[in-house]
Amino acid sequence: WLKGVFEFENMSLREISKQLARWYGVIFEFDDTSCGDRRFTGGIKKYIPLDQSLDVLEKTTDVVFRIKDQLVLVRSRR
């Protein structure tokens, strides 16, 4: 994180959401528990808007994010 990048190594979306929630000042709510169990490996730049960060996760984890004010709803793409 010192390089201005969140680096995730086989982390669950639930773990990732905790870091993003603190950074962006939002609350994540999962539609079902299986969404939070999905794993992600990669990096996301810290200083980009929240929607761009979530777009990276959407493309690689088969979930969909919807932002409503300070709430981020997470559900399975299926």
Side-chain angles (χ1 to χ4, degrees):
W1 60 269
L2 290 173
K3 301 176 199 171
V5 175
F6 290 111
E7 293 183 5
F8 307 113
E9 182 69 35
N10 195 32
M11 287 181 70
S12 72
L13 279 182
R14 193 168 318 288
E15 294 171 302
I16 292 169
S17 71
K18 290 177 185 176
Q19 289 185 33
L20 296 179
R22 281 193 302 269
W23 183 256
Y24 289 104
V26 295
I27 298 168
F28 283 80
E29 184 177 293
F30 290 86
D31 189 36
D32 63 61
T33 55
S34 67
C35 288
D37 295 335
R38 305 234 172 113
R39 310 300 261 181
F40 177 79
T41 296
I44 299 175
K45 293 180 182 177
K46 281 185 162 184
Y47 300 101
I48 61 174
L50 174 61
D51 62 327
Q52 290 179 20
S53 294
L54 298 179
D55 188 50
V56 171
L57 293 170
E58 274 189 359
K59 290 178 180 176
T60 58
T61 56
D62 201 30
V63 297
V64 177
F65 297 95
R66 294 292 171 253
I67 303 170
K68 288 180 81 175
D69 301 318
Q70 297 304 106
L71 179 66
V72 179
L73 304 169
V74 187
R75 64 178 176 84
S76 178
R77 186 177 302 277
R78 298 176 206 163

